[in-house]
Amino acid sequence: MSIRTVTTQPFSDQKPGTSGLRKKVPTFQKQHYLENFVQSIFDSISPPSGATLVVGGDGRFFNREAIQTILKMAAANGFGQVLVGRGGILSTPAASCVIRKYKTYGGIILSASHNPGGPDGDFGIKYNGSNGGPATETVTEAIFAKSKVITTYRILEAADVSLDQLGETTLGNMKVKVIDSVSDYAELMESLFDFAAIRALLTGGFKIKFDAMHAVNGPYAKEILEGRLGAAAGSVMNAVPLEDFGGGHPDPNLTYAHDLVDIVYGKDAPDFGAASDGDGDRNMILGKRFFVTPSDSLAVIAANATLVRGYTKGIAGVARSMPTSAAADRVAKALNIPCYETPTGWKFFGNLMDAGKVTLCGEESFGTGSDHVREKDGLWAVLFWLNILAVRKQSVESIVREHWAKYGRNFYSRYDYEGLPTEEANGVMTHLRDSFASLTDKQFGKYTVATCDDFSYTDPVDASVSKNQGIRILFSDGSRIIFRLSGTGTEGATLRVYLEAYEADVARHHLDAQDALKDLIQIGLNISELIVRTGRQQPTVIT
Ligand code: G1P
Ligand code: ZN
């Protein structure tokens, strides 16, 4: 077996986005494309000789091929050992758990999260550091810089390694250890939650349905929910991970998880429904005919944390991404703990958690998590809710309604306009920026603009500054409209419009969010000139 140094040419489009590098599968299949990026990672992180790396992915099309390439490149770049999930499978939170548990140098996660997969679908790759979290912007910038000047990469010439049996093999001087994809993660969950109480709930007539959406969480949910917690057989649906997610869009929201939604809103509905995404880090929580917005879910989890075994001592603080509703802020205020507002993307939570400033964090995009790992964690959120339900013995709906009665309700919705020509999307953003001065103090019906800005964040731990993180139109009553361009899409531009209105009056809490936000939506469309500039009458998806 010999190490080959291969001459290559840089690609200009390897800038990591909100969560790693995401491209269509055929892009990743281009000669040297994956190799260039992997070498750029290794060159940026300069692993000490003999370091241990974790590798795994969500099992989508191209996962296995990519892993074989990465293993051979790791061997040629001086790693001593790689831990790989069996079959190349590790959910994103499980990868984070394994990196932390075995104190490895870092890990490479292969996933395009909730984006569809298959030969023409999306693929992705990202690097996580030794804390188990996504590389910081400093590291992703360094990777991008390397990718623009790369001239060679190193790879071991060797046969493929079998990934389907547990145990150790060698690749050159490097050990490859195939580990069980589920057990370390399941053990961590068992340490955080009262499995006996949840088991009593689930075997005592409380019915649940978990939609794994043919994605990575199938085996995790089967083992934990049906295996260890005794949920009835069949409680986990679409449990077999498929390379193309069965042709579906593995994003747990009311639009794409429609199989589950039909069940939870249908006859004989279960008491609790949940779904997770392609790589298992997102979650959607449903009660019987009741949807919990991700922003509310974070707030409810924060308010009830001390009921849950791993969190009885209380939480140090909460963090939410800027577009996420301020529901969690109200809980933080009541608990007298800090609430941090970060840019979109999980990588901004890592420093806060490492410094012990926050315990819980969340995003409106169906992401919730805690400092047990450094990624958002879909199944963790489900177990957190089940633990709360086991203790409070109330329905999901009554828990949320009581929460609103106490803290007020933050009506919330997000409108996504996908696949826009980049110039049109940029045009909307530029127009908004140009309107800041004329918008300030302007009145729209009952809403008055207090301020407008382009969100900028200074990390309280390392003082790094992230600019242009979304345009905020802030109204005097606390309502907000936010405009932001997605950093995870692979086709054209996706413009996201986030809407939030606070309502203290319980008599209005029953309103449908779309009704409650009607006026704000109109204001957002008018001031952005979105319809005229893009020709889109309707958003692609509303969540
Ligand atoms: C989206 C979400 C963001 C999340 C990211 C990765 O990013 O909006 O909250 O962290 O996916 O799951 P975006 O496409 O908006 O850049
Ligand atoms: Zn994901």
Side-chain angles (χ1 to χ4, degrees):
M1 272 184 267
S2 62
I3 292 173
R4 206 152 58 94
T5 300
V6 181
T7 304
T8 185
Q9 302 234 310
F11 292 90
S12 59
D13 64 345
Q14 297 199 321
K15 185 176 169 62
T18 313
S19 185
L21 182 69
R22 291 203 193 156
K23 299 283 172 198
K24 294 273 170 225
V25 166
T27 303
F28 271 105
Q29 287 170 325
K30 282 193 219 161
Q31 199 186 19
H32 306 324
Y33 193 87
L34 173 69
E35 291 86 344
N36 276 15
F37 191 71
V38 173
Q39 188 66 52
S40 301
I41 294 176
F42 292 160
D43 288 348
S44 308
I45 61 171
S46 331
S49 160
T52 298
L53 185 73
V54 173
V55 178
D58 63 11
R60 67 180 59 225
F61 188 85
F62 198 56
N63 193 51
R64 282 177 178 264
E65 291 90 317
I67 290 180
Q68 295 295 345
T69 301
I70 293 167
L71 289 175
K72 291 169 197 171
M73 290 186 66
N77 278 273
F79 281 93
Q81 180 178 228
V82 177
L83 307 179
V84 199
R86 190 195 329 215
I89 296 287
L90 280 176
S91 75
T92 292
S96 185
C97 159
V98 171
I99 293 171
R100 294 170 67 79
K101 179 169 176 180
Y102 298 104
K103 302 196 168 34
T104 70
Y105 192 71
I108 290 181
I109 301 179
L110 302 162
S111 168
S113 188
H114 50 286
N115 295 9
D120 299 314
D122 287 358
F123 191 75
I125 172 167
K126 67 173 179 168
Y127 177 72
N128 282 30
S130 59
N131 71 347
T136 58
E137 278 202 327
T138 317
V139 176
T140 56
E141 287 299 333
I143 295 171
F144 181 45
K146 293 275 178 197
S147 78
K148 289 191 287 194
V149 295
I150 188 167
T151 54
T152 57
Y153 64 82
R154 287 187 295 288
I155 188 161
L156 189 77
E157 286 199 316
D160 283 358
V161 178
S162 162
L163 300 177
D164 295 308
Q165 283 86 41
L166 299 181
E168 273 179 30
T169 44
T170 53
L171 201 52
N173 295 326
M174 187 183 84
K175 267 199 301 197
V176 177
K177 194 168 173 189
V178 177
I179 60 169
D180 186 273
S181 311
V182 178
S183 56
D184 293 312
Y185 177 81
E187 193 181 286
L188 177 60
M189 293 301 113
E190 209 153 350
S191 74
L192 296 173
F193 301 111
D194 185 345
F195 271 35
I198 303 175
R199 175 175 260 280
L201 178 77
L202 300 186
T203 53
F206 186 91
K207 284 199 293 178
I208 65 167
K209 201 74 170 173
F210 179 90
D211 189 351
M213 303 191 83
H214 287 304
V216 77
N217 256 351
Y220 294 84
K222 274 261 175 206
E223 164 67 20
I224 295 173
L225 297 175
E226 293 187 15
R228 302 191 186 200
L229 292 169
S235 295
V236 181
M237 61 192 273
N238 299 326
V240 179
L242 298 173
E243 283 196 331
D244 65 349
F245 309 112
H249 195 137
D251 201 0
N253 59 40
L254 294 175
T255 305
Y256 294 126
H258 42 77
D259 291 356
L260 173 73
V261 172
D262 289 349
I263 293 171
V264 168
Y265 282 82
K267 261 191 21 210
D268 297 326
D271 303 288
F272 178 85
S276 59
D277 72 331
D279 60 332
D281 59 357
R282 291 186 173 198
N283 75 90
M284 174 169 68
I285 302 293
L286 300 163
K288 200 182 276 235
R289 297 182 202 96
F290 189 81
F291 167 63
V292 185
T293 69
S295 298
D296 280 346
S297 178
L298 173 65
V300 170
I301 283 175
N304 289 278
T306 51
L307 302 179
V308 173
R309 181 197 284 164
Y311 304 84
T312 45
K313 290 204 195 89
I315 49 180
V318 184
R320 63 162 174 85
S321 65
M322 180 274 283
T324 303
S325 99
D329 303 38
R330 295 177 184 278
V331 176
K333 193 158 180 240
L335 295 175
N336 200 19
I337 54 170
C339 181
Y340 296 86
E341 185 177 37
T342 60
T344 297
W346 212 259
K347 57 177 173 256
F348 295 101
F349 295 136
N351 276 352
L352 296 173
M353 289 192 279
D354 288 349
K357 290 181 181 296
V358 304
T359 307
L360 298 173
C361 31
E363 295 194 277
E364 51 64 44
S365 53
F366 297 81
T368 335
S370 87
D371 60 359
H372 67 289
V373 289
R374 292 293 182 276
E375 288 280 2
K376 54 188 177 247
D377 189 343
L379 210 41
W380 168 90
V382 171
L383 293 169
F384 211 118
W385 267 93
L386 290 175
N387 202 148
I388 293 171
L389 291 162
V391 175
R392 289 191 49 175
K393 302 188 173 23
Q394 283 172 271
S395 69
V396 171
E397 177 167 355
S398 73
I399 288 176
V400 175
R401 289 200 184 280
E402 274 183 22
H403 185 94
W404 291 339
K406 180 164 178 192
Y407 297 97
R409 178 171 180 188
N410 291 70
F411 283 105
Y412 192 83
S413 189
R414 181 175 108 183
Y415 282 36
D416 290 340
Y417 298 82
E418 295 176 356
L420 293 173
T422 309
E423 319 76 67
E424 285 179 10
N426 288 338
V428 172
M429 297 299 274
T430 308
H431 164 70
L432 281 162
R433 275 188 201 103
D434 292 345
S435 313
F436 283 174
S438 62
L439 281 174
T440 309
D441 295 332
K442 203 163 169 179
Q443 200 161 345
F444 297 91
K446 66 170 184 164
Y447 296 103
T448 308
V449 178
T451 49
C452 322
D453 65 6
D454 218 327
F455 182 61
S456 168
Y457 177 68
T458 304
D459 187 295
V461 180
D462 65 14
S464 58
V465 178
S466 304
K467 292 189 177 149
N468 301 326
Q469 297 295 324
I471 288 175
R472 305 191 293 180
I473 316 289
L474 305 173
F475 296 90
S476 54
D477 69 345
S479 300
R480 308 188 299 165
I481 307 177
I482 288 141
F483 297 85
R484 194 183 146 266
L485 295 178
S486 155
T488 57
T490 55
E491 251 171 350
T494 293
L495 179 64
R496 306 200 194 284
V497 186
Y498 308 81
L499 304 135
E500 176 182 3
Y502 179 68
E503 179 60 71
D505 183 1
V506 183
R508 291 174 56 82
H509 287 173
H510 66 281
L511 287 180
D512 179 75
Q514 297 306 319
D515 289 336
L517 294 166
K518 217 170 46 229
D519 294 349
L520 270 188
I521 293 164
Q522 263 326 310
I523 297 168
L525 291 175
N526 289 346
I527 62 180
S528 63
E529 299 180 354
L530 193 151
I531 296 181
V532 187
R533 287 173 179 273
T534 66
R536 294 283 178 91
Q537 298 297 323
Q538 298 297 332
T540 324
V541 185
I542 298 179
T543 49

